[in-house]
Amino acid sequence: MTNGPIPDVTPTNQLFWDGTALGELRLRSCNPCGHHFRFVSNWCPKCWSTDLSWIKCTGRGRVRAHTVVHIAPYESMSARTPYSIALIELEEGPTMMSNILDCDPATIKNGMAVEVIFEDRGDLRLPQFRPA
């Protein structure tokens, strides 16, 4: 499906979205301490360094927590209900929120292995997950 909200692209997250356009899920990586994290800041949340780079992740992870949405928060999402929202703990360590597609939401379990897929939304490709 191509309907749904579209995130804002900013200078802080531009390289993340450049990666998704190529089918890559990218994380920030701190060069001094090696900590991996999401793109939400320009400094490391562990050591506060601004010496950062980007890494391509495996795109694999596990469901840490999830819920099923039965009433869409946006009209553009109403055709998708029911759908799942999950916290995905990536193999590299960070946790990200995403949808789990290609399965009945009632079958999703905490600890379930998932892998990234990309969904076109406007000019962006959003990372989503499916059972691995």
Side-chain angles (χ1 to χ4, degrees):
M1 293 183 191
T2 57
N3 59 346
I6 299 172
D8 291 328
V9 177
T10 68
T12 301
N13 66 26
Q14 179 69 56
L15 290 175
F16 175 83
W17 296 114
D18 290 349
T20 64
L22 299 171
E24 297 176 0
L25 184 60
R26 295 178 179 176
L27 294 172
R28 295 305 295 263
S29 182
C30 179
N31 294 320
C33 77
H35 183 66
H36 302 308
F37 59 99
R38 294 286 315 283
F39 59 79
V40 296
S41 70
N42 290 313
W43 58 85
C44 175
K46 185 173 180 183
C47 75
W48 298 96
S49 174
T50 56
D51 181 10
L52 307 175
S53 57
W54 289 88
I55 64 163
K56 178 184 170 184
C57 352
T58 64
R60 293 186 301 265
R62 296 206 172 268
V63 175
R64 176 186 260 180
H66 68 283
T67 190
V68 177
V69 176
H70 295 278
I71 300 173
Y74 306 102
E75 181 62 33
S76 62
M77 298 294 288
S78 62
R80 292 178 177 233
T81 58
Y83 63 91
S84 67
I85 297 177
L87 293 176
I88 308 297
E89 187 171 345
L90 299 171
E91 283 186 347
E92 293 79 6
T95 299
M96 67 182 289
M97 187 181 303
S98 188
N99 298 115
I100 300 178
L101 307 178
D102 298 343
C103 70
D104 179 346
T107 65
I108 297 168
K109 304 286 185 224
N110 290 349
M112 183 173 86
V114 292
E115 63 186 1
V116 74
I117 56 176
F118 296 92
E119 176 186 355
D120 293 329
R121 288 222 195 140
D123 293 333
L124 295 180
R125 294 184 76 203
L126 271 62
Q128 308 282 14
F129 288 81
R130 68 178 174 206

PDB file of all heavy atoms in Angstrom, residues 47-84:
ATOM      1  N   CYS A  47      28.556   8.740  24.522  1.00  0.00           N
ATOM      2  CA  CYS A  47      29.761   9.480  24.929  1.00  0.00           C
ATOM      3  C   CYS A  47      29.730  10.957  24.516  1.00  0.00           C
ATOM      4  O   CYS A  47      30.663  11.676  24.797  1.00  0.00           O
ATOM      5  CB  CYS A  47      31.019   8.806  24.384  1.00  0.00           C
ATOM      6  SG  CYS A  47      31.297   9.059  22.609  1.00  0.00           S
ATOM      7  N   TRP A  48      28.695  11.383  23.828  1.00  0.00           N
ATOM      8  CA  TRP A  48      28.475  12.767  23.390  1.00  0.00           C
ATOM      9  C   TRP A  48      29.411  13.235  22.280  1.00  0.00           C
ATOM     10  O   TRP A  48      29.464  14.403  21.951  1.00  0.00           O
ATOM     11  CB  TRP A  48      28.519  13.745  24.576  1.00  0.00           C
ATOM     12  CG  TRP A  48      27.438  13.452  25.561  1.00  0.00           C
ATOM     13  CD1 TRP A  48      27.543  12.706  26.693  1.00  0.00           C
ATOM     14  CD2 TRP A  48      26.072  13.840  25.479  1.00  0.00           C
ATOM     15  NE1 TRP A  48      26.332  12.611  27.332  1.00  0.00           N
ATOM     16  CE2 TRP A  48      25.403  13.314  26.602  1.00  0.00           C
ATOM     17  CE3 TRP A  48      25.332  14.596  24.572  1.00  0.00           C
ATOM     18  CZ2 TRP A  48      24.065  13.506  26.840  1.00  0.00           C
ATOM     19  CZ3 TRP A  48      23.997  14.791  24.810  1.00  0.00           C
ATOM     20  CH2 TRP A  48      23.375  14.246  25.930  1.00  0.00           C
ATOM     21  N   SER A  49      30.125  12.318  21.667  1.00  0.00           N
ATOM     22  CA  SER A  49      31.005  12.688  20.566  1.00  0.00           C
ATOM     23  C   SER A  49      30.180  13.107  19.352  1.00  0.00           C
ATOM     24  O   SER A  49      29.069  12.599  19.126  1.00  0.00           O
ATOM     25  CB  SER A  49      31.903  11.510  20.183  1.00  0.00           C
ATOM     26  OG  SER A  49      32.658  11.818  19.019  1.00  0.00           O
ATOM     27  N   THR A  50      30.730  14.001  18.557  1.00  0.00           N
ATOM     28  CA  THR A  50      30.106  14.370  17.278  1.00  0.00           C
ATOM     29  C   THR A  50      30.859  13.739  16.101  1.00  0.00           C
ATOM     30  O   THR A  50      30.556  14.028  14.954  1.00  0.00           O
ATOM     31  CB  THR A  50      30.063  15.901  17.110  1.00  0.00           C
ATOM     32  OG1 THR A  50      31.397  16.422  17.228  1.00  0.00           O
ATOM     33  CG2 THR A  50      29.156  16.545  18.155  1.00  0.00           C
ATOM     34  N   ASP A  51      31.827  12.873  16.401  1.00  0.00           N
ATOM     35  CA  ASP A  51      32.588  12.164  15.376  1.00  0.00           C
ATOM     36  C   ASP A  51      31.804  10.902  15.004  1.00  0.00           C
ATOM     37  O   ASP A  51      32.013   9.832  15.578  1.00  0.00           O
ATOM     38  CB  ASP A  51      33.983  11.819  15.912  1.00  0.00           C
ATOM     39  CG  ASP A  51      34.851  11.101  14.880  1.00  0.00           C
ATOM     40  OD1 ASP A  51      34.460  11.020  13.694  1.00  0.00           O
ATOM     41  OD2 ASP A  51      35.926  10.598  15.284  1.00  0.00           O
ATOM     42  N   LEU A  52      30.882  11.064  14.063  1.00  0.00           N
ATOM     43  CA  LEU A  52      29.940   9.998  13.720  1.00  0.00           C
ATOM     44  C   LEU A  52      30.082   9.578  12.269  1.00  0.00           C
ATOM     45  O   LEU A  52      30.526  10.360  11.424  1.00  0.00           O
ATOM     46  CB  LEU A  52      28.503  10.475  13.954  1.00  0.00           C
ATOM     47  CG  LEU A  52      28.174  11.049  15.325  1.00  0.00           C
ATOM     48  CD1 LEU A  52      26.755  11.582  15.340  1.00  0.00           C
ATOM     49  CD2 LEU A  52      28.387  10.022  16.414  1.00  0.00           C
ATOM     50  N   SER A  53      29.653   8.371  11.985  1.00  0.00           N
ATOM     51  CA  SER A  53      29.550   7.891  10.610  1.00  0.00           C
ATOM     52  C   SER A  53      28.235   7.120  10.483  1.00  0.00           C
ATOM     53  O   SER A  53      27.462   7.044  11.437  1.00  0.00           O
ATOM     54  CB  SER A  53      30.754   7.010  10.259  1.00  0.00           C
ATOM     55  OG  SER A  53      30.876   5.931  11.150  1.00  0.00           O
ATOM     56  N   TRP A  54      27.991   6.566   9.315  1.00  0.00           N
ATOM     57  CA  TRP A  54      26.796   5.761   9.053  1.00  0.00           C
ATOM     58  C   TRP A  54      27.227   4.342   8.740  1.00  0.00           C
ATOM     59  O   TRP A  54      28.241   4.125   8.083  1.00  0.00           O
ATOM     60  CB  TRP A  54      26.033   6.332   7.862  1.00  0.00           C
ATOM     61  CG  TRP A  54      25.351   7.623   8.151  1.00  0.00           C
ATOM     62  CD1 TRP A  54      25.895   8.873   8.035  1.00  0.00           C
ATOM     63  CD2 TRP A  54      24.023   7.818   8.601  1.00  0.00           C
ATOM     64  NE1 TRP A  54      24.977   9.826   8.392  1.00  0.00           N
ATOM     65  CE2 TRP A  54      23.810   9.198   8.742  1.00  0.00           C
ATOM     66  CE3 TRP A  54      22.979   6.949   8.911  1.00  0.00           C
ATOM     67  CZ2 TRP A  54      22.611   9.731   9.169  1.00  0.00           C
ATOM     68  CZ3 TRP A  54      21.772   7.488   9.334  1.00  0.00           C
ATOM     69  CH2 TRP A  54      21.597   8.862   9.455  1.00  0.00           C
ATOM     70  N   ILE A  55      26.444   3.362   9.189  1.00  0.00           N
ATOM     71  CA  ILE A  55      26.682   1.967   8.828  1.00  0.00           C
ATOM     72  C   ILE A  55      25.408   1.398   8.211  1.00  0.00           C
ATOM     73  O   ILE A  55      24.302   1.855   8.496  1.00  0.00           O
ATOM     74  CB  ILE A  55      27.102   1.099  10.037  1.00  0.00           C
ATOM     75  CG1 ILE A  55      25.978   1.027  11.089  1.00  0.00           C
ATOM     76  CG2 ILE A  55      28.410   1.587  10.631  1.00  0.00           C
ATOM     77  CD1 ILE A  55      26.143  -0.101  12.090  1.00  0.00           C
ATOM     78  N   LYS A  56      25.571   0.430   7.367  1.00  0.00           N
ATOM     79  CA  LYS A  56      24.437  -0.322   6.806  1.00  0.00           C
ATOM     80  C   LYS A  56      24.178  -1.494   7.733  1.00  0.00           C
ATOM     81  O   LYS A  56      25.079  -2.263   8.041  1.00  0.00           O
ATOM     82  CB  LYS A  56      24.786  -0.810   5.407  1.00  0.00           C
ATOM     83  CG  LYS A  56      23.703  -1.639   4.768  1.00  0.00           C
ATOM     84  CD  LYS A  56      24.156  -2.163   3.413  1.00  0.00           C
ATOM     85  CE  LYS A  56      23.184  -3.174   2.878  1.00  0.00           C
ATOM     86  NZ  LYS A  56      23.647  -3.773   1.624  1.00  0.00           N
ATOM     87  N   CYS A  57      22.944  -1.623   8.233  1.00  0.00           N
ATOM     88  CA  CYS A  57      22.630  -2.760   9.108  1.00  0.00           C
ATOM     89  C   CYS A  57      22.180  -3.959   8.297  1.00  0.00           C
ATOM     90  O   CYS A  57      21.879  -3.859   7.125  1.00  0.00           O
ATOM     91  CB  CYS A  57      21.544  -2.502  10.081  1.00  0.00           C
ATOM     92  SG  CYS A  57      20.741  -1.118  10.467  1.00  0.00           S
ATOM     93  N   THR A  58      22.088  -5.068   9.014  1.00  0.00           N
ATOM     94  CA  THR A  58      21.638  -6.313   8.381  1.00  0.00           C
ATOM     95  C   THR A  58      20.158  -6.255   8.035  1.00  0.00           C
ATOM     96  O   THR A  58      19.694  -6.970   7.149  1.00  0.00           O
ATOM     97  CB  THR A  58      21.855  -7.519   9.316  1.00  0.00           C
ATOM     98  OG1 THR A  58      21.038  -7.345  10.485  1.00  0.00           O
ATOM     99  CG2 THR A  58      23.311  -7.676   9.703  1.00  0.00           C
ATOM    100  N   GLY A  59      19.407  -5.426   8.772  1.00  0.00           N
ATOM    101  CA  GLY A  59      17.959  -5.379   8.566  1.00  0.00           C
ATOM    102  C   GLY A  59      17.221  -6.477   9.306  1.00  0.00           C
ATOM    103  O   GLY A  59      16.017  -6.647   9.137  1.00  0.00           O
ATOM    104  N   ARG A  60      17.931  -7.209  10.137  1.00  0.00           N
ATOM    105  CA  ARG A  60      17.302  -8.280  10.915  1.00  0.00           C
ATOM    106  C   ARG A  60      17.158  -7.845  12.371  1.00  0.00           C
ATOM    107  O   ARG A  60      17.972  -7.087  12.892  1.00  0.00           O
ATOM    108  CB  ARG A  60      18.130  -9.562  10.825  1.00  0.00           C
ATOM    109  CG  ARG A  60      18.138 -10.157   9.432  1.00  0.00           C
ATOM    110  CD  ARG A  60      18.831 -11.506   9.399  1.00  0.00           C
ATOM    111  NE  ARG A  60      20.216 -11.436   9.843  1.00  0.00           N
ATOM    112  CZ  ARG A  60      21.262 -11.304   9.035  1.00  0.00           C
ATOM    113  NH1 ARG A  60      21.096 -11.205   7.737  1.00  0.00           N
ATOM    114  NH2 ARG A  60      22.488 -11.278   9.528  1.00  0.00           N
ATOM    115  N   GLY A  61      16.118  -8.360  13.009  1.00  0.00           N
ATOM    116  CA  GLY A  61      15.908  -8.049  14.404  1.00  0.00           C
ATOM    117  C   GLY A  61      14.841  -8.934  15.013  1.00  0.00           C
ATOM    118  O   GLY A  61      14.421  -9.926  14.404  1.00  0.00           O
ATOM    119  N   ARG A  62      14.401  -8.546  16.202  1.00  0.00           N
ATOM    120  CA  ARG A  62      13.365  -9.289  16.920  1.00  0.00           C
ATOM    121  C   ARG A  62      12.341  -8.310  17.477  1.00  0.00           C
ATOM    122  O   ARG A  62      12.677  -7.189  17.849  1.00  0.00           O
ATOM    123  CB  ARG A  62      13.962 -10.103  18.060  1.00  0.00           C
ATOM    124  CG  ARG A  62      14.891 -11.174  17.558  1.00  0.00           C
ATOM    125  CD  ARG A  62      14.998 -12.337  18.527  1.00  0.00           C
ATOM    126  NE  ARG A  62      15.742 -13.422  17.913  1.00  0.00           N
ATOM    127  CZ  ARG A  62      15.188 -14.417  17.237  1.00  0.00           C
ATOM    128  NH1 ARG A  62      13.907 -14.508  17.095  1.00  0.00           N
ATOM    129  NH2 ARG A  62      15.943 -15.368  16.725  1.00  0.00           N
ATOM    130  N   VAL A  63      11.101  -8.761  17.542  1.00  0.00           N
ATOM    131  CA  VAL A  63      10.032  -7.949  18.120  1.00  0.00           C
ATOM    132  C   VAL A  63      10.268  -7.869  19.623  1.00  0.00           C
ATOM    133  O   VAL A  63      10.346  -8.896  20.298  1.00  0.00           O
ATOM    134  CB  VAL A  63       8.643  -8.563  17.821  1.00  0.00           C
ATOM    135  CG1 VAL A  63       7.545  -7.784  18.528  1.00  0.00           C
ATOM    136  CG2 VAL A  63       8.405  -8.617  16.317  1.00  0.00           C
ATOM    137  N   ARG A  64      10.394  -6.652  20.128  1.00  0.00           N
ATOM    138  CA  ARG A  64      10.566  -6.454  21.570  1.00  0.00           C
ATOM    139  C   ARG A  64       9.193  -6.259  22.225  1.00  0.00           C
ATOM    140  O   ARG A  64       8.942  -6.743  23.318  1.00  0.00           O
ATOM    141  CB  ARG A  64      11.454  -5.250  21.818  1.00  0.00           C
ATOM    142  CG  ARG A  64      11.607  -4.921  23.286  1.00  0.00           C
ATOM    143  CD  ARG A  64      12.366  -3.656  23.487  1.00  0.00           C
ATOM    144  NE  ARG A  64      13.745  -3.967  23.815  1.00  0.00           N
ATOM    145  CZ  ARG A  64      14.636  -3.050  24.048  1.00  0.00           C
ATOM    146  NH1 ARG A  64      14.330  -1.778  23.947  1.00  0.00           N
ATOM    147  NH2 ARG A  64      15.851  -3.394  24.380  1.00  0.00           N
ATOM    148  N   ALA A  65       8.315  -5.518  21.572  1.00  0.00           N
ATOM    149  CA  ALA A  65       6.940  -5.273  22.052  1.00  0.00           C
ATOM    150  C   ALA A  65       6.095  -4.916  20.836  1.00  0.00           C
ATOM    151  O   ALA A  65       6.622  -4.467  19.819  1.00  0.00           O
ATOM    152  CB  ALA A  65       6.929  -4.146  23.075  1.00  0.00           C
ATOM    153  N   HIS A  66       4.792  -5.114  20.951  1.00  0.00           N
ATOM    154  CA  HIS A  66       3.918  -4.798  19.811  1.00  0.00           C
ATOM    155  C   HIS A  66       2.489  -4.558  20.290  1.00  0.00           C
ATOM    156  O   HIS A  66       2.123  -4.933  21.406  1.00  0.00           O
ATOM    157  CB  HIS A  66       3.943  -5.936  18.785  1.00  0.00           C
ATOM    158  CG  HIS A  66       3.305  -7.192  19.285  1.00  0.00           C
ATOM    159  ND1 HIS A  66       3.925  -8.048  20.166  1.00  0.00           N
ATOM    160  CD2 HIS A  66       2.097  -7.725  19.052  1.00  0.00           C
ATOM    161  CE1 HIS A  66       3.129  -9.052  20.435  1.00  0.00           C
ATOM    162  NE2 HIS A  66       1.996  -8.885  19.775  1.00  0.00           N
ATOM    163  N   THR A  67       1.736  -3.945  19.413  1.00  0.00           N
ATOM    164  CA  THR A  67       0.307  -3.765  19.650  1.00  0.00           C
ATOM    165  C   THR A  67      -0.401  -3.820  18.304  1.00  0.00           C
ATOM    166  O   THR A  67       0.234  -3.679  17.257  1.00  0.00           O
ATOM    167  CB  THR A  67       0.015  -2.434  20.374  1.00  0.00           C
ATOM    168  OG1 THR A  67      -1.351  -2.412  20.793  1.00  0.00           O
ATOM    169  CG2 THR A  67       0.283  -1.235  19.481  1.00  0.00           C
ATOM    170  N   VAL A  68      -1.693  -4.019  18.343  1.00  0.00           N
ATOM    171  CA  VAL A  68      -2.496  -4.044  17.122  1.00  0.00           C
ATOM    172  C   VAL A  68      -3.413  -2.826  17.144  1.00  0.00           C
ATOM    173  O   VAL A  68      -4.108  -2.583  18.132  1.00  0.00           O
ATOM    174  CB  VAL A  68      -3.316  -5.346  17.002  1.00  0.00           C
ATOM    175  CG1 VAL A  68      -4.190  -5.312  15.758  1.00  0.00           C
ATOM    176  CG2 VAL A  68      -2.385  -6.554  16.984  1.00  0.00           C
ATOM    177  N   VAL A  69      -3.379  -2.062  16.065  1.00  0.00           N
ATOM    178  CA  VAL A  69      -4.203  -0.864  15.925  1.00  0.00           C
ATOM    179  C   VAL A  69      -5.484  -1.251  15.188  1.00  0.00           C
ATOM    180  O   VAL A  69      -5.428  -1.778  14.080  1.00  0.00           O
ATOM    181  CB  VAL A  69      -3.445   0.236  15.154  1.00  0.00           C
ATOM    182  CG1 VAL A  69      -4.329   1.449  14.932  1.00  0.00           C
ATOM    183  CG2 VAL A  69      -2.164   0.602  15.884  1.00  0.00           C
ATOM    184  N   HIS A  70      -6.619  -0.990  15.831  1.00  0.00           N
ATOM    185  CA  HIS A  70      -7.915  -1.308  15.218  1.00  0.00           C
ATOM    186  C   HIS A  70      -8.644  -0.063  14.727  1.00  0.00           C
ATOM    187  O   HIS A  70      -9.526  -0.172  13.871  1.00  0.00           O
ATOM    188  CB  HIS A  70      -8.802  -2.057  16.225  1.00  0.00           C
ATOM    189  CG  HIS A  70      -8.266  -3.392  16.591  1.00  0.00           C
ATOM    190  ND1 HIS A  70      -8.450  -4.512  15.823  1.00  0.00           N
ATOM    191  CD2 HIS A  70      -7.503  -3.797  17.640  1.00  0.00           C
ATOM    192  CE1 HIS A  70      -7.846  -5.543  16.378  1.00  0.00           C
ATOM    193  NE2 HIS A  70      -7.265  -5.137  17.486  1.00  0.00           N
ATOM    194  N   ILE A  71      -8.305   1.098  15.282  1.00  0.00           N
ATOM    195  CA  ILE A  71      -8.903   2.364  14.858  1.00  0.00           C
ATOM    196  C   ILE A  71      -7.776   3.255  14.365  1.00  0.00           C
ATOM    197  O   ILE A  71      -6.901   3.654  15.143  1.00  0.00           O
ATOM    198  CB  ILE A  71      -9.673   3.042  16.008  1.00  0.00           C
ATOM    199  CG1 ILE A  71     -10.784   2.120  16.500  1.00  0.00           C
ATOM    200  CG2 ILE A  71     -10.225   4.386  15.563  1.00  0.00           C
ATOM    201  CD1 ILE A  71     -11.493   2.611  17.741  1.00  0.00           C
ATOM    202  N   ALA A  72      -7.784   3.568  13.083  1.00  0.00           N
ATOM    203  CA  ALA A  72      -6.694   4.316  12.468  1.00  0.00           C
ATOM    204  C   ALA A  72      -6.620   5.751  13.009  1.00  0.00           C
ATOM    205  O   ALA A  72      -7.652   6.419  13.134  1.00  0.00           O
ATOM    206  CB  ALA A  72      -6.880   4.351  10.955  1.00  0.00           C
ATOM    207  N   PRO A  73      -5.403   6.232  13.317  1.00  0.00           N
ATOM    208  CA  PRO A  73      -5.248   7.606  13.793  1.00  0.00           C
ATOM    209  C   PRO A  73      -5.372   8.634  12.670  1.00  0.00           C
ATOM    210  O   PRO A  73      -5.575   9.814  12.930  1.00  0.00           O
ATOM    211  CB  PRO A  73      -3.847   7.617  14.391  1.00  0.00           C
ATOM    212  CG  PRO A  73      -3.119   6.563  13.631  1.00  0.00           C
ATOM    213  CD  PRO A  73      -4.150   5.506  13.323  1.00  0.00           C
ATOM    214  N   TYR A  74      -5.213   8.194  11.424  1.00  0.00           N
ATOM    215  CA  TYR A  74      -5.327   9.060  10.252  1.00  0.00           C
ATOM    216  C   TYR A  74      -6.273   8.395   9.261  1.00  0.00           C
ATOM    217  O   TYR A  74      -6.258   7.171   9.111  1.00  0.00           O
ATOM    218  CB  TYR A  74      -3.973   9.240   9.548  1.00  0.00           C
ATOM    219  CG  TYR A  74      -2.865   9.714  10.433  1.00  0.00           C
ATOM    220  CD1 TYR A  74      -1.905   8.821  10.911  1.00  0.00           C
ATOM    221  CD2 TYR A  74      -2.755  11.054  10.796  1.00  0.00           C
ATOM    222  CE1 TYR A  74      -0.866   9.257  11.719  1.00  0.00           C
ATOM    223  CE2 TYR A  74      -1.727  11.495  11.599  1.00  0.00           C
ATOM    224  CZ  TYR A  74      -0.784  10.591  12.059  1.00  0.00           C
ATOM    225  OH  TYR A  74       0.236  11.013  12.861  1.00  0.00           O
ATOM    226  N   GLU A  75      -7.037   9.186   8.559  1.00  0.00           N
ATOM    227  CA  GLU A  75      -7.948   8.656   7.536  1.00  0.00           C
ATOM    228  C   GLU A  75      -7.174   7.835   6.506  1.00  0.00           C
ATOM    229  O   GLU A  75      -7.635   6.795   6.046  1.00  0.00           O
ATOM    230  CB  GLU A  75      -8.708   9.792   6.857  1.00  0.00           C
ATOM    231  CG  GLU A  75      -9.687   9.325   5.799  1.00  0.00           C
ATOM    232  CD  GLU A  75     -10.796   8.424   6.354  1.00  0.00           C
ATOM    233  OE1 GLU A  75     -11.212   8.611   7.505  1.00  0.00           O
ATOM    234  OE2 GLU A  75     -11.233   7.516   5.619  1.00  0.00           O
ATOM    235  N   SER A  76      -5.955   8.289   6.160  1.00  0.00           N
ATOM    236  CA  SER A  76      -5.159   7.584   5.150  1.00  0.00           C
ATOM    237  C   SER A  76      -4.750   6.177   5.590  1.00  0.00           C
ATOM    238  O   SER A  76      -4.357   5.366   4.769  1.00  0.00           O
ATOM    239  CB  SER A  76      -3.914   8.399   4.802  1.00  0.00           C
ATOM    240  OG  SER A  76      -3.086   8.553   5.931  1.00  0.00           O
ATOM    241  N   MET A  77      -4.853   5.883   6.882  1.00  0.00           N
ATOM    242  CA  MET A  77      -4.472   4.561   7.387  1.00  0.00           C
ATOM    243  C   MET A  77      -5.671   3.640   7.608  1.00  0.00           C
ATOM    244  O   MET A  77      -5.502   2.476   7.938  1.00  0.00           O
ATOM    245  CB  MET A  77      -3.711   4.708   8.712  1.00  0.00           C
ATOM    246  CG  MET A  77      -2.410   5.470   8.609  1.00  0.00           C
ATOM    247  SD  MET A  77      -1.171   4.617   7.640  1.00  0.00           S
ATOM    248  CE  MET A  77      -0.727   3.302   8.752  1.00  0.00           C
ATOM    249  N   SER A  78      -6.891   4.141   7.428  1.00  0.00           N
ATOM    250  CA  SER A  78      -8.078   3.351   7.771  1.00  0.00           C
ATOM    251  C   SER A  78      -8.199   2.063   6.954  1.00  0.00           C
ATOM    252  O   SER A  78      -8.683   1.057   7.465  1.00  0.00           O
ATOM    253  CB  SER A  78      -9.344   4.193   7.651  1.00  0.00           C
ATOM    254  OG  SER A  78      -9.516   4.628   6.323  1.00  0.00           O
ATOM    255  N   ALA A  79      -7.746   2.061   5.717  1.00  0.00           N
ATOM    256  CA  ALA A  79      -7.832   0.847   4.902  1.00  0.00           C
ATOM    257  C   ALA A  79      -6.886  -0.242   5.389  1.00  0.00           C
ATOM    258  O   ALA A  79      -7.055  -1.408   5.045  1.00  0.00           O
ATOM    259  CB  ALA A  79      -7.533   1.175   3.441  1.00  0.00           C
ATOM    260  N   ARG A  80      -5.923   0.113   6.216  1.00  0.00           N
ATOM    261  CA  ARG A  80      -4.937  -0.858   6.704  1.00  0.00           C
ATOM    262  C   ARG A  80      -5.372  -1.576   7.981  1.00  0.00           C
ATOM    263  O   ARG A  80      -4.753  -2.554   8.359  1.00  0.00           O
ATOM    264  CB  ARG A  80      -3.613  -0.157   7.015  1.00  0.00           C
ATOM    265  CG  ARG A  80      -2.921   0.354   5.815  1.00  0.00           C
ATOM    266  CD  ARG A  80      -1.649   1.063   6.258  1.00  0.00           C
ATOM    267  NE  ARG A  80      -0.920   1.513   5.105  1.00  0.00           N
ATOM    268  CZ  ARG A  80       0.342   1.240   4.873  1.00  0.00           C
ATOM    269  NH1 ARG A  80       1.039   0.528   5.722  1.00  0.00           N
ATOM    270  NH2 ARG A  80       0.934   1.690   3.804  1.00  0.00           N
ATOM    271  N   THR A  81      -6.361  -1.055   8.682  1.00  0.00           N
ATOM    272  CA  THR A  81      -6.717  -1.646   9.975  1.00  0.00           C
ATOM    273  C   THR A  81      -7.302  -3.041   9.787  1.00  0.00           C
ATOM    274  O   THR A  81      -7.984  -3.287   8.803  1.00  0.00           O
ATOM    275  CB  THR A  81      -7.728  -0.751  10.730  1.00  0.00           C
ATOM    276  OG1 THR A  81      -8.877  -0.566   9.932  1.00  0.00           O
ATOM    277  CG2 THR A  81      -7.109   0.557  11.116  1.00  0.00           C
ATOM    278  N   PRO A  82      -7.044  -3.946  10.701  1.00  0.00           N
ATOM    279  CA  PRO A  82      -6.100  -3.814  11.801  1.00  0.00           C
ATOM    280  C   PRO A  82      -4.661  -3.954  11.292  1.00  0.00           C
ATOM    281  O   PRO A  82      -4.396  -4.697  10.352  1.00  0.00           O
ATOM    282  CB  PRO A  82      -6.450  -4.961  12.737  1.00  0.00           C
ATOM    283  CG  PRO A  82      -7.004  -6.005  11.831  1.00  0.00           C
ATOM    284  CD  PRO A  82      -7.690  -5.254  10.706  1.00  0.00           C
ATOM    285  N   TYR A  83      -3.731  -3.231  11.933  1.00  0.00           N
ATOM    286  CA  TYR A  83      -2.322  -3.350  11.592  1.00  0.00           C
ATOM    287  C   TYR A  83      -1.491  -3.310  12.871  1.00  0.00           C
ATOM    288  O   TYR A  83      -1.975  -2.906  13.921  1.00  0.00           O
ATOM    289  CB  TYR A  83      -1.866  -2.269  10.604  1.00  0.00           C
ATOM    290  CG  TYR A  83      -1.968  -0.854  11.106  1.00  0.00           C
ATOM    291  CD1 TYR A  83      -0.894  -0.249  11.772  1.00  0.00           C
ATOM    292  CD2 TYR A  83      -3.112  -0.095  10.895  1.00  0.00           C
ATOM    293  CE1 TYR A  83      -0.977   1.051  12.223  1.00  0.00           C
ATOM    294  CE2 TYR A  83      -3.194   1.201  11.342  1.00  0.00           C
ATOM    295  CZ  TYR A  83      -2.134   1.780  11.997  1.00  0.00           C
ATOM    296  OH  TYR A  83      -2.210   3.071  12.437  1.00  0.00           O
ATOM    297  N   SER A  84      -0.265  -3.754  12.758  1.00  0.00           N
ATOM    298  CA  SER A  84       0.586  -3.837  13.947  1.00  0.00           C
ATOM    299  C   SER A  84       1.599  -2.702  13.966  1.00  0.00           C
ATOM    300  O   SER A  84       2.065  -2.247  12.928  1.00  0.00           O
ATOM    301  CB  SER A  84       1.326  -5.163  13.975  1.00  0.00           C
ATOM    302  OG  SER A  84       2.250  -5.207  12.911  1.00  0.00           O
TER     303      SER A  84
END
